């Protein structure tokens, strides 16, 4: 008996170690997003992107520490006479552990992982609004998003008390299954993509991006940084997706690593097929439309990301072939979706976050509802709902009915309503206050020169003070 | 008894976690190779390298998923009445689990690790053939290599049924020991280097690289990317080498971590000595030949890689001093080998993959045969051959006879024959079909402009559509 | 009973795995430091920085292997009849295991972790002395530091026999507590910062950096590399700080992961607050002094590093709020300290290592003495001193007396005396021998051209041999 409990004890340490390491990989997505975005902007805005992506992590971390975790997971509870945890908080928002007060040490590792998730959501936006948003506005929304918008939403689907959560213990599950957004194609990527689209829309396009409603080329300045960003994000996905499983061993000491490994395989196949399919599709379309042969880096890179995001949410519940097909879907959707937003919506989203994270994040929530395999869902969520009786639902195209699909569609609508309902007024308020967008003169000069003290790249002939006159 | 089996159960999860994390580090070698190669090409070919290295991972992953694993490890077997695994497949090729069909979930983590190994082999080649190969040819060979050439060869030496494998259970071991290519100085690096050399040879040199048979300087364009590539590869080696051990704990719960740590130390010392020795040697040689004092980044970086590759295969079986000497050997061999291929063979290998991976990979296979220590070999392979009787052979210079050296020389010949026998006809066939090399005009304009829609680096003054006219 | 010992056995493997993975992350700090420094130098010195940071790892690794470990941890000991380890070495220096001779395999993983720490200390210096130090001098001091200065000092505080060590078993603890420099704000960062300042001081400023004693702007050339360096260092801190705990499970199988996770949280909050506070402070100061609005990347990046370094030593012993306040302190101290060294001391420290690592490292040693919480200290060091009787001391502002503060102040003085006492004469000796600084002509031409064979960045129009005439 003492040996068993000893076993249980150190197994939780092993799982914490696994989650922490995964969290560190997710942190690298900050650098990945930064470099991807740097590569896609013009030289005059490079320094602002560099700063914004350090501030994502920093201001976002402060927001998540002060408020975010509390709203997401700060559920009041007590342990009853039987040793069971009884939660008392409501289905919409948590209410304690602000600034990690009265925090259970045992959950430290979970905080780290949730923190890097929150700042990932914030950083998705920075690229879409690049080159014309005021830095103050950026600082405010990074805080607003990580302290309020994202945490509340994750409470709904990932807290054991959330109204949409499949692990809800305080009331009935949504449609009897809860929404399956296991790894966050929805809560992270789609939310980030929606907020990005909202920001880019309220801001309006960069000057010169559209002439007479027709988009003009405004290509990024550095392919190497773009490519580095893609591969660093891919690397980070190996933390993001498998790490969300939260453990490498079941608490009772039984096998779990295969679920984690399945997440890594889904990620790999999603990225591989997404990249190749997007590349091929663009080659064929361009050939037909213009007669030219173009193997396009941009397509391969963003296609790989699209593929990975489509398989993110359900990565632990897919057969490899289902992840591969998900990757193909992601790769095929990139071009039409980005053309739609550019040519029809007239949205100037510098990094196509609306498509990569928004569209593909939405598809990811659907993909989990469609292709989650019964036995695999049970490995993650158990064989029954929290009531201990109702069998777990699984994917429609895997033999179950469309229950999860229904719940996930409701979840998609809820995320859309909440995110746009929060972010559009937020950005409009900043606009009305004159705090959203730099002046046209500042934009043409470049935000680096007008707000960040000088150019990102200098050659040895550069002269004069570049950083505000105090030093350097 | 239940406790023991519980222990055995979760230990396999811990080992899976270790291997997965190692695999993620190996994935970063994709970015390492990409940046190293980007740094060594001219600006006109940068975007093609960026694309190629994303496609390595993508197309290579598809190839390995569809066919590669099956040919390498898809061995039919059954479990007999005693609970032993009985393999039925042949010594030359596996035959099932195509596209991971009927895949044992327990092996998911192994697939991930083998996948990143396969794409590492593919990416080695991209640098050698840079700046003049058609992208279509690249796509095809990445698939061909990961789906066929590399997997078959790894079946021979790493599958428990392969004819050269020291863990072979279906027949006698090669020369009584099997070939020791434990971590892949041979199967990954030498094979990659051979294929790289074959590609560069069939392609022919870049226009202007040789004038009247005399090599002309054609330096790379960015030292920072080169350096970043070297350090990222070094980082990746900490996944590649220790991760190949496949476990951090023995399945029975006894100590194993020291073997893993030994791999990390060998890697460190190999890199350290390789870098310093190559730097020093070049300084001295240049001083003597030209009178100039040059501390050369290129030498230090490639020297460190050479040192690490010499100690790769046997990293788990060397005393630290043997790894240090291996690093010195790698550092010393870089300059003469690269001069040989450039001046004598007249090979235009843009990143010296032929030397770094080919020559040093070959040396790595020999180094394991010479300096593997008895007790260390036994920690990895057991005290006896799979027959349970014959003691394991070990390194010649560690007191055993030259058995392993003999087997490893046969293995080197086999790898050379197979790789060149496959890749040379493959590249020639593409050449005959006119699908191997871009036209001289396209090459002079740069493959970025002629095949990838425009330049990798743009300043804000750039005009016009750069990516095929459809978007951006 | 056999099960218990089996448990103990594999737990040490799990801990080794944790430490090794942490060590790999620390290795990435080499790339982080390299890119940060590259970003802050002028283009003419880029290649020298790239080379120096590969050589840090290489020559530093050789120095640490040959001598460093032996001086730091090569303590003679025997195991007595009760199975206890009895150390015989003295309080000032270790004396065996040179070149890992007679090395206990079980400690292999510790060597790896100490190696990456040693090279981190060495690399801190490279930025401060950039653009004018001879490469030979760099090679020598990297070796001298990793082989002698750093190891002896770490023996004092981290070896179980060191005179300042809180784990000392061979004599009384310093002031009854020993110095608490648990993770190395002092032994790594402050020592690195002091050596950096000493080097920059003896070298003198870059030509043109001061005119009539007034500093002239000499800005770095690439913001993207700087930002990448900051985020890679942040990533590396997740290895550096948590990894130093040395385990993820207590050897008896009881919980420990929360201590490791606490380190990660301290690191995150230190970085987040440091970055935002430094950014804000500079904005306000610049606004007041010049009327301009500048959101400065440099401040945010270095501020984040300052915040992390202030909380480094005691990261495992702070409540999250104490780490947050530590981050604020780090963020606030960056600007005044760097202005002090630039304007008052007239020190040309290219990367502000003196402030970031020196000043903030010193603050980190104090911060641990002030804010270490009793229960958290006991999780790391046990409830009593090694005598088994005296309760552990903890932070002054956490309720204990100022004992640890006293010991840590002595430790700060000892580090300062030893480091400056070794490095200032060392650099002066090189200066007297004419081996420290390049000539003014070489400096103006750039060390890349004069010592490293050519420029770091080339465009396609560059001609002629760039690397010494032998090849390329």
């Amino acid at each position: 008996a003492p040996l068993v409990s000893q076993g249980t004890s150190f197994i939780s340490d092993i799982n914490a170690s696994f989650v922490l390491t995964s969290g560190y990989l997710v942190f690298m997505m900050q650098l990945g997003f930064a470099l991807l975005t740097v590569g896609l902007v013009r030289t005059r805005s490079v320094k602002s992107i560099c700063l914004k992506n350090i501030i994502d992590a920093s201001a976002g971390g402060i927001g998540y520490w002060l408020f975010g975790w509390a709203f997401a997971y700060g559920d009041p509870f007590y342990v009853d006479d039987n040793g069971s945890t009884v939660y008392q908080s409501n289905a919409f928002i948590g209410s304690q552990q602000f600034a990690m007060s009265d925090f259970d040490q045992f959950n430290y590792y979970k905080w780290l992982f949730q923190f890097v998730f929150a700042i990932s959501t914030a950083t998705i936006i920075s690229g879409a609004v690049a080159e014309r948003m005021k830095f103050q506005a950026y600082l405010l929304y990074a805080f607003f998003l990580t302290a309020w918008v994202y945490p509340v939403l994750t409470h709904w689907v990932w807290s054991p008390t959330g109204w949409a959560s499949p692990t809800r213990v305080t009331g009935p599950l949504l449609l009897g299954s809860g929404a399956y957004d296991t790894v966050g194609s929805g809560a992270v990527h789609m939310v980030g993509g929606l907020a990005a689209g909202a920001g880019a829309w309220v801001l309006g396009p960069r000057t010169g991006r559209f002439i007479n409603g027709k988009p003009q080329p405004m290509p990024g300045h550095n392919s190497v940084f773009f490519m580095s960003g893609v591969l660093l994000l891919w690397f980070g996905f190996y933390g993001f997706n498998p790490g969300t499983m939260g453990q490498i061993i079941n608490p009772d000491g039984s096998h779990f690593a295969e679920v984690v490994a399945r997440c890594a395989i889904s990620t790999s196949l999603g990225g591989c097929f997404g990249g190749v399919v997007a590349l091929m599709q663009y080659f064929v379309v361009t050939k037909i439309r213009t007669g030219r042969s173009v193997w396009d880096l941009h397509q391969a890179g963003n296609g790989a990301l699209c593929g990975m995001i489509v398989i993110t949410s359900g990565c632990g519940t897919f057969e490899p072939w289902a992840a591969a097909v998900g990757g193909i879907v992601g790769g095929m959707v990139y071009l039409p979706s980005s053309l739609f937003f550019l040519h029809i919506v007239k949205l100037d989203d510098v990094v196509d976050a609306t498509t990569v994270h928004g569209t593909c994040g939405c598809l990811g929530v659907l993909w989990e509802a469609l292709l989650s395999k019964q036995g695999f869902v049970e490995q993650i969520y158990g064989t029954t709902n929290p009531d201990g009786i109702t069998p777990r639902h699984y994917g429609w195209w895997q033999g179950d009915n469309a229950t999860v699909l229904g719940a996930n569609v409701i979840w998609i609508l809820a995320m859309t309503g909440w995110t746009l309902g929060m972010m559009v007024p937020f950005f409009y308020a900043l606009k009305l206050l004159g705090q959203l967008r730099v002046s046209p003169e500042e934009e043409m000069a470049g935000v680096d020169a007008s707000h960040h003290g000088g150019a990102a790249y200098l050659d040895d002939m550069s002269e004069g003070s570049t950083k505000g006159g105090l030093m350097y």
Side-chain angles (χ1 to χ4, degrees), chain A residues 114-318:
Chain A
Q114 298 301 326
F115 148 67
V116 292
F117 259 54
I119 62 176
S120 294
T121 311
T123 205
I124 288 170
I125 305 167
S126 71
V129 300
E131 308 213 55
R132 73 271 202 205
M133 186 185 266
K134 282 195 176 177
F135 182 75
Q136 298 92 309
Y138 188 83
L139 200 59
L140 287 171
Y141 97 68
F143 190 86
F144 181 60
L145 192 89
T146 54
W148 175 254
V149 180
Y150 169 80
V152 170
L153 201 132
T154 56
H155 179 84
W156 297 351
V157 75
W158 289 338
S159 152
T161 70
W163 64 265
S165 169
T167 61
R168 188 182 192 193
V169 292
T170 51
L173 300 192
L174 179 63
L175 300 193
S177 73
Y180 287 20
D181 185 14
T182 315
V183 185
S185 286
V188 173
H189 292 285
M190 186 180 153
V191 165
L194 284 166
W201 178 252
V202 178
L203 263 174
R206 286 169 291 176
T207 305
R209 181 64 162 133
F210 294 93
I211 295 180
N212 300 324
K214 189 168 156 23
Q216 306 298 312
M218 207 168 263
H221 85 289
N222 192 307
S223 295
V224 183
F225 292 137
F226 172 77
M227 176 275 296
S228 299
V230 169
L231 289 179
L232 282 167
L233 286 169
W234 193 325
F235 177 67
F237 268 115
Y238 287 127
F240 197 100
N241 290 358
T244 299
M245 298 299 104
Q247 58 181 35
I248 190 81
I249 308 173
N250 278 315
D252 66 0
S254 64
H255 272 312
F256 190 76
E258 57 222 44
V259 182
V260 172
R262 194 187 300 130
C263 293
I265 288 174
S266 294
T267 304
S268 305
L269 293 175
C272 291
F273 277 95
V276 169
V277 167
L279 179 78
M280 296 287 195
Q281 175 176 265
Y282 187 78
F283 181 86
V284 171
V285 171
T286 309
K287 191 82 180 176
I288 293 170
R289 292 280 296 269
T290 72
R292 288 201 278 161
S293 300
V294 181
W295 300 100
D296 187 58
L297 169 65
H298 195 113
Q299 295 285 328
N302 273 340
L305 297 178
C306 284
M308 283 187 274
I309 291 167
V310 168
I311 62 76
T312 285
S313 257
C315 61
T317 65
F318 299 142

Side-chain angles (χ1 to χ4, degrees), chain A residues 318-394:
Chain A
F318 299 142
E319 286 278 9
W321 67 261
V325 179
I328 293 169
V329 169
M332 292 187 71
V333 94
Y334 173 63
L335 183 60
S337 174
S338 57
L339 289 175
F340 171 79
F341 283 111
L342 181 66
H343 287 272
I344 311 298
V345 183
K346 312 286 185 198
L347 190 74
D348 182 18
D349 176 346
V350 180
V351 298
D352 281 326
T354 320
T355 287
V356 175
H357 300 277
T359 305
C360 292
C362 179
L363 286 169
V365 178
L366 298 174
W367 206 247
E368 182 170 17
L370 295 172
L371 282 155
S372 292
K373 186 171 166 176
Q374 182 174 17
F376 295 172
V377 168
E378 293 173 355
Q379 284 179 301
I380 295 173
Y381 287 124
T383 52
T384 68
N385 285 352
D387 62 14
I389 302 162
T390 323
R392 280 284 179 196
H393 281 284
Y394 52 95

Side-chain angles (χ1 to χ4, degrees), chain A residues 362-438:
Chain A
C362 179
L363 286 169
V365 178
L366 298 174
W367 206 247
E368 182 170 17
L370 295 172
L371 282 155
S372 292
K373 186 171 166 176
Q374 182 174 17
F376 295 172
V377 168
E378 293 173 355
Q379 284 179 301
I380 295 173
Y381 287 124
T383 52
T384 68
N385 285 352
D387 62 14
I389 302 162
T390 323
R392 280 284 179 196
H393 281 284
Y394 52 95
W396 189 19
W397 295 349
Q398 288 284 341
D400 196 355
N401 58 35
T403 303
V404 180
L405 183 61
N408 278 15
V409 168
I410 293 172
W411 175 235
I412 287 168
L413 296 173
M415 286 191 289
T416 306
W418 172 256
T419 306
L420 296 183
M422 284 290 146
M423 296 311 292
V424 172
F426 177 83
F427 285 125
Y428 262 114
L430 286 174
K431 188 175 190 173
L432 287 175
L433 295 169
Q435 296 301 317
L436 189 64
R437 184 163 179 150
V438 301

